[in-house]
Amino acid sequence: MAFWLYKSEPFKWSWQMQKDAGAKGTEWTGVRNYLARNNMRAMQIGDKGFFYHSNEGLEIVGITEVCALSHPDSTAEGDARWDCVDIRAVRDVPRPVTLKEIKDNPKLANMALVTSMRLSVQPVTEDEWIEVCRMAGFDSPPR
């Protein structure tokens, strides 16, 4: 299993909207960055991820799960270069973890959220996953 982080501006697609999409989940569309697209192409069913509110909030607010493998992005208007995965909400984090808290934690100094802030779909290492889950108040990280 791999771990990921998905960034979304809450006024466009919020954590609440993701939860409202239900168990079937929704396409993670609109990604137009090759590295982020390649990250989605590497994803497997059941991979977990953090849902991060960018621009407003600047915090990890939920846990997601990949529920459909990479496929053509329905918003790409026939441009075959762009793929997406489907993700579903798994659960809220007990306590949101802010970008400031992440940046202040030396264990997370190399996290993509700190080093590649503009990337909208990012890998998260297992150690980073465990540490952020600890910061969020999980007794044991969701798997």
Side-chain angles (χ1 to χ4, degrees):
M1 175 186 298
F3 304 102
W4 308 94
L5 182 140
Y6 304 87
K7 293 172 71 174
S8 183
E9 298 172 353
F11 70 92
K12 290 183 181 176
W13 188 257
S14 69
W15 175 238
Q16 186 59 53
M17 293 167 153
Q18 185 67 49
K19 292 192 300 184
D20 291 347
K24 84 173 179 96
T26 187
E27 290 183 320
W28 194 256
T29 59
V31 174
R32 301 296 182 265
N33 173 284
Y34 288 106
L35 183 53
R37 179 212 56 195
N38 291 345
N39 287 337
M40 289 191 289
R41 286 181 175 176
M43 292 177 184
Q44 297 297 313
I45 299 292
D47 281 359
K48 298 292 188 284
F50 293 124
F51 193 102
Y52 177 82
H53 276 165
S54 61
N55 292 343
E56 297 171 31
L58 301 177
E59 59 191 1
I60 292 171
V61 294
I63 303 291
T64 64
E65 178 178 70
V66 175
C67 58
L69 295 175
S70 179
H71 58 86
D73 183 330
S74 65
T75 68
E77 300 177 1
D79 187 340
R81 293 177 298 169
W82 305 115
D83 292 354
C84 66
V85 293
D86 291 17
I87 63 171
R88 65 175 150 238
V90 173
R91 63 171 295 174
D92 297 336
V93 295
R95 186 187 73 74
V97 180
T98 68
L99 178 60
K100 181 179 181 338
E101 291 172 308
I102 290 168
K103 286 182 171 182
D104 288 346
N105 185 328
K107 292 180 181 177
L108 301 174
N110 295 319
M111 189 173 182
L113 186 59
V114 174
T115 63
S116 304
M117 289 199 48
R118 295 183 55 82
L119 190 60
S120 62
V121 179
Q122 306 174 351
V124 174
T125 69
E126 185 172 9
D127 287 344
E128 292 164 349
W129 179 260
I130 291 167
E131 181 63 11
V132 172
C133 286
R134 182 197 65 75
M135 294 168 70
F138 286 107
D139 291 329
S140 64
R143 301 272 180 177

